[in-house]
Amino acid sequence: RKEVEQDPGPFNVPEGATVAFNCTYSNSASQSFFWYRQDCRKEPKLLMSVYSSGNEDGRFTAQLNRASQYISLLIRDSKLSDSATYLCVVNLRYGGSQGNLIFGKGTKLSVKP
Amino acid sequence: DVKVTQSSRYLVKRTGEKVFLECVQDMDHENMFWYRQDPGLGLRLIYFSYDVKMKEKGDIPEGYSVSREKKERFSLILESASTNQTSMYLCASSKDRTFSGANVLTFGAGSRLTVL
């Protein structure tokens, strides 16, 4: 089983739609989680960290389910500018040691007018 | 905001040439990383450095070396470029490797290398 798995998509949705991505991870030692956004031919940029209690930032909601080992990203009221690839990132960290970031391959979102 | 600057956005080199990719960060970060990104393969870690003159191999170090002579600068070196090293190369930095709280990984804009 791959360490971090995402549906590659593409997810093609109309403007205004709600879309959700899931990401599963295999290592229960994973301690912190992130969603990065990557526009075409640009670098990945942090979208949001994912907290155990779930967190929201405007139209974006991230949730963590440790029991089932997955994180999710929900985008409400999709905008054309949300079109990008969304990377799930998991930090493996054993005890007090330094972490090791594992990247998913990304889920491509295309928002259409 | 942290700024990570990669000196070359686009390079075209010939097989066998020596290639230097330079990266500079301006936030006094301890850790610097080099990744490559290829379609269908995602981001793969080549090397990272947690201190000046220190380096650690990542997942795919073969064919690459690195240099960290100063804290702010991390160079990736292809001693003899090959066509399978055609890729997008991304430099990144972080304060430390706990990646907790506000300490996250910040990327440069990338260097797209084509080896002919």
Side-chain angles (χ1 to χ4, degrees):
Chain A
R1 184 179 172 185
K2 294 176 185 172
E3 292 193 78
V4 178
E5 286 199 74
Q6 297 181 251
D7 181 341
F11 284 61
N12 297 307
V13 303
E15 269 188 294
T18 296
V19 61
F21 311 133
N22 281 341
C23 165
T24 58
Y25 60 94
S26 59
N27 196 316
S28 58
S30 304
Q31 294 205 4
S32 50
F33 308 87
F34 310 90
W35 284 103
Y36 275 71
R37 171 198 167 122
Q38 186 172 24
D39 293 301
C40 188
R41 304 183 80 83
K42 297 285 184 70
E43 74 274 24
K45 293 184 179 178
L46 179 70
L47 178 66
M48 58 199 303
S49 302
V50 186
Y51 302 121
S52 297
S53 55
N55 47 302
E56 190 173 307
D57 183 3
R59 298 181 293 109
F60 298 83
T61 300
Q63 293 196 313
L64 166 64
N65 185 318
R66 285 193 185 274
S68 301
Q69 294 186 197
Y70 75 85
I71 66 172
S72 63
L73 178 68
L74 180 79
I75 306 175
R76 290 181 299 278
D77 189 22
S78 300
K79 311 290 184 193
L80 296 176
S81 57
D82 293 334
S83 297
T85 296
Y86 291 83
L87 303 176
C88 170
V89 185
V90 171
N91 179 26
L92 285 180
R93 188 174 160 215
Y94 300 93
S97 70
Q98 298 293 307
N100 179 27
L101 292 182
I102 310 297
F103 286 81
K105 294 181 181 177
T107 296
K108 187 171 182 180
L109 171 66
S110 181
V111 182
K112 308 290 188 185
Chain B
D1 277 357
V2 176
K3 191 166 183 186
V4 180
T5 304
Q6 294 183 231
S7 56
S8 304
R9 291 298 307 275
Y10 300 94
L11 303 97
V12 179
K13 299 291 182 181
R14 297 206 173 272
T15 301
E17 280 192 79
K18 191 169 185 176
V19 182
F20 292 88
L21 298 178
E22 304 285 343
C23 175
V24 176
Q25 51 90 7
D26 66 359
M27 283 299 289
D28 199 35
H29 279 179
E30 301 292 331
N31 295 270
M32 297 187 75
F33 306 80
W34 275 106
Y35 291 87
R36 66 177 281 178
Q37 187 174 33
D38 301 285
L41 297 177
L43 276 155
R44 293 181 291 168
L45 181 63
I46 304 171
Y47 268 98
F48 68 97
S49 168
Y50 52 89
D51 202 349
V52 175
K53 297 192 186 294
M54 305 304 288
K55 60 184 179 184
E56 290 277 351
K57 292 180 180 179
D59 300 317
I60 52 161
E62 297 77 20
Y64 303 95
S65 61
V66 290
S67 172
R68 187 131 181 239
E69 296 296 319
K70 292 185 178 181
K71 190 175 185 180
E72 67 272 17
R73 187 179 298 270
F74 192 35
S75 303
L76 180 69
I77 304 151
L78 288 68
E79 292 289 343
S80 178
S82 61
T83 55
N84 63 13
Q85 292 179 309
T86 292
S87 187
M88 167 73 106
Y89 289 88
L90 289 157
C91 177
S93 75
S94 68
K95 186 175 187 307
D96 61 43
R97 281 183 291 129
T98 61
F99 301 113
S100 59
N103 174 36
V104 295
L105 192 68
T106 301
F107 287 90
S111 299
R112 189 166 292 277
L113 172 67
T114 300
V115 183
L116 302 174

